[in-house]
Amino acid sequence: MEPNKDTPDTVSGALAEHYRQIIRLLGEDVTREGLLKTPERMAKSMQFLLHGYGQDPEAVLASAMFRDEDYKQMVIVKNIDFFSLCEHHLLPFFGKAHIAYIPRKYITGLSKIPRVVDIFARRLQVQERMTRQIKECIQKTLDPLGVMVVIEAQHMCMQMRGVEKQNSLTTTSDFTGFFQQAKTRVEFMNLIQK
């Protein structure tokens, strides 16, 4: 995907005008006091919620790669909160990501894993793709012996509309390398459930 070459102010102004039209088409009076600044607020909100397009997750991981540690066991970062927007309805989905990798040569700064989650979450997404993208980014950048990603999320498109199932939870997982062994996956699942 090519980065947007427009300036943030140009994008914000164009988005605001589109939101003004949407509000009008929905039957509201955009000149009403409570809605006067809503198009601009919506534009800024969307730019914030989708700022992951302007970031490189591989560069984030690579910025804190350390080679001198001889650690070959599982590294787990769990309960990583995230918020994303479903690309089908532009409604939020949110939850927790649990990520493990087994270093081969490199470890990374622990804060970089949640940053990678945020970068992919702050794009128009589906949970399945986001799970795969996080796994592939870590595998490609750190070249570990294996990566496993589990994401648990609630989807407003299922809770607020459609089937309206408020207690539904969607879980996705993806893995590489040593995590293809059932005993390694079971160890990871046991550790994230504690």
Side-chain angles (χ1 to χ4, degrees):
M1 164 165 224
E2 285 203 19
N4 187 345
K5 305 244 191 290
D6 294 320
T7 67
D9 289 340
T10 304
V11 172
S12 190
L15 284 171
E17 186 51 41
H18 286 289
Y19 283 124
R20 194 169 282 103
Q21 293 300 320
I22 290 169
I23 293 167
R24 194 175 288 129
L25 289 169
L26 291 171
E28 260 294 356
D29 175 8
V30 292
T31 64
R32 185 164 61 78
E33 182 182 17
L35 291 174
L36 279 176
K37 295 188 178 181
T38 298
E40 288 79 12
R41 286 192 292 265
M42 290 176 71
K44 287 179 184 173
S45 175
M46 287 306 266
Q47 287 176 290
F48 174 77
L49 293 173
L50 297 173
H51 69 263
Y53 289 112
Q55 298 179 307
D56 180 353
E58 292 176 20
V60 166
L61 279 179
S63 72
M65 286 174 56
F66 306 102
R67 188 180 187 122
D68 293 336
E69 301 302 324
D70 184 27
Y71 188 79
K72 302 283 190 246
Q73 302 302 315
M74 208 179 294
V75 176
I76 300 173
V77 183
K78 67 180 188 175
N79 296 325
I80 303 166
D81 292 317
F82 74 87
F83 298 90
S84 192
L85 286 176
C86 162
E87 70 181 31
H88 300 140
H89 302 98
L90 292 187
L91 288 172
F93 71 95
F94 58 92
K96 296 194 181 294
H98 314 287
I99 298 169
Y101 72 98
I102 301 171
R104 182 190 315 264
K105 294 183 221 166
Y106 300 102
I107 62 170
T108 189
L110 294 177
S111 69
K112 303 308 178 189
I113 302 287
R115 287 201 54 209
V116 166
V117 171
D118 282 343
I119 289 169
F120 287 115
R122 295 302 188 167
R123 300 174 180 188
L124 295 177
Q125 275 292 10
V126 295
Q127 184 175 334
E128 297 87 345
R129 181 188 320 118
M130 187 172 114
T131 305
R132 179 179 45 80
Q133 287 174 328
I134 294 166
K135 176 208 69 176
E136 288 174 352
C137 175
I138 295 169
Q139 184 64 51
K140 179 179 177 184
T141 309
L142 298 180
D143 188 31
L145 297 170
V147 177
M148 185 157 180
V149 178
V150 172
I151 296 180
E152 303 169 303
Q154 297 179 55
H155 292 252
M156 292 292 103
C157 57
M158 285 177 50
Q159 295 178 338
M160 292 176 65
R161 57 160 301 282
V163 296
E164 295 185 58
K165 300 301 176 201
Q166 285 75 31
N167 296 312
S168 62
L169 189 68
T170 302
T171 303
T172 52
S173 68
D174 204 349
F175 47 86
T176 65
F178 281 15
F179 289 98
Q180 292 176 16
Q181 300 170 17
K183 69 177 188 172
T184 309
R185 286 196 310 276
V186 167
E187 178 186 353
F188 170 68
M189 295 305 288
N190 286 337
L191 288 168
I192 67 171
Q193 291 171 3
K194 288 184 178 177

